[in-house]
Amino acid sequence: MAGQGEILMAPRKAAALRDTEDGRSLREHLIGTAADLISANGTAELTVRAIARAAGVADGVLYNHFTDKEELLADALAEHVRRVEAGLGELPAPGSATVEANLRAQLAYGLALHKEILPAFAGLLARPAVLARFGELAGDGETWRDHLAGYLRAEKELGRLDGDVDAAAAMLVGVCHESVLTALLPHGPRVATSPAVKAVVKTVLEGIAVR
């Protein structure tokens, strides 16, 4: 019986030590696997056992590479966000094209970003330790909101915008939050709906006051 146990454990021990075939370390493989699961199924039901099974390792292997499950989940969430952002492409630069076209691109980017990442964060509301770890990883990195606000300020400096651009940024970000979060609330609609990008941008640029 002891011999059989040794045979069964040997591959698991080896898996804890070797790199993966694609050149990634096992730590990177575990983070990538967890990020795949977040993308496919969200975070609400994500467990260490599910990650280990998907990665093809024993449950205990994860603790050879992470302090605890919160560290792994935070790293995986950060990887998920990075992948989503990378897949959305580049944002327009100040002074290029028209402000209206650029704001449409910014808002379309923001809506797509929030639809992909907010469900993952919502699934972790009962795990504040994971969200705290993620916040530490994010640090002082620039978010889309930061980029949007910076873009609007730059356009104002170029003379292509006027008024309170920070308030405009808050309104555009608010559209993204409202469009996605309402569908995540217990009594919200099952499918998130968004106002037309063109209409939102037109309203932000022109305002709603009678002239």
Side-chain angles (χ1 to χ4, degrees):
M1 294 297 291
Q4 289 179 343
E6 291 170 0
I7 292 172
L8 289 173
M9 288 300 294
R12 295 183 179 182
K13 183 176 181 180
L17 300 175
R18 68 171 183 266
D19 289 344
T20 57
E21 293 181 359
D22 59 6
R24 293 185 299 172
S25 68
L26 186 53
R27 177 187 170 87
E28 292 171 331
H29 172 60
L30 292 169
I31 292 172
T33 299
D36 291 341
L37 293 174
I38 289 175
S39 178
N41 306 311
T43 54
E45 304 298 328
L46 189 59
T47 64
V48 167
R49 176 170 293 182
I51 296 169
R53 287 180 177 175
V57 300
D59 296 3
V61 169
L62 277 67
Y63 297 101
N64 293 331
H65 302 274
F66 301 92
T67 303
D68 48 37
K69 64 182 180 182
E70 285 76 19
E71 181 184 1
L72 170 57
L73 292 177
D75 283 339
L77 184 60
E79 173 65 10
H80 172 61
V81 172
R82 186 197 66 77
R83 290 179 183 180
V84 171
E85 291 175 334
L88 292 176
E90 297 293 327
L91 286 164
S96 64
T98 66
V99 172
E100 183 173 4
N102 291 344
L103 285 183
R104 289 182 190 177
Q106 287 274 3
L107 183 54
Y109 180 104
L111 286 167
L113 177 68
H114 283 74
K115 286 177 181 176
E116 289 294 326
I117 69 173
L118 278 186
F121 283 93
L124 290 170
L125 291 179
R127 301 183 186 185
V130 177
L131 296 176
R133 291 283 186 88
F134 173 81
E136 293 171 1
L137 290 174
D140 298 324
E142 186 179 64
T143 65
W144 169 69
R145 192 204 188 288
D146 297 329
H147 188 284
L148 172 63
Y151 164 79
L152 291 171
R153 293 189 198 109
E155 290 287 22
K156 185 174 181 178
E157 291 177 2
L158 291 172
R160 302 212 301 171
L161 281 177
D162 195 11
D164 191 336
V165 293
D166 288 328
M171 286 187 283
L172 292 171
V173 173
V175 169
C176 297
H177 287 176
E178 194 275 339
S179 297
V180 179
L181 286 176
T182 51
L184 297 176
L185 296 174
H187 301 294
R190 292 185 179 181
V191 179
T193 58
S194 305
V197 168
K198 181 178 179 180
V200 171
V201 170
K202 186 175 187 297
T203 301
V204 169
L205 289 177
E206 297 181 0
I208 58 175
V210 176
R211 291 177 175 80

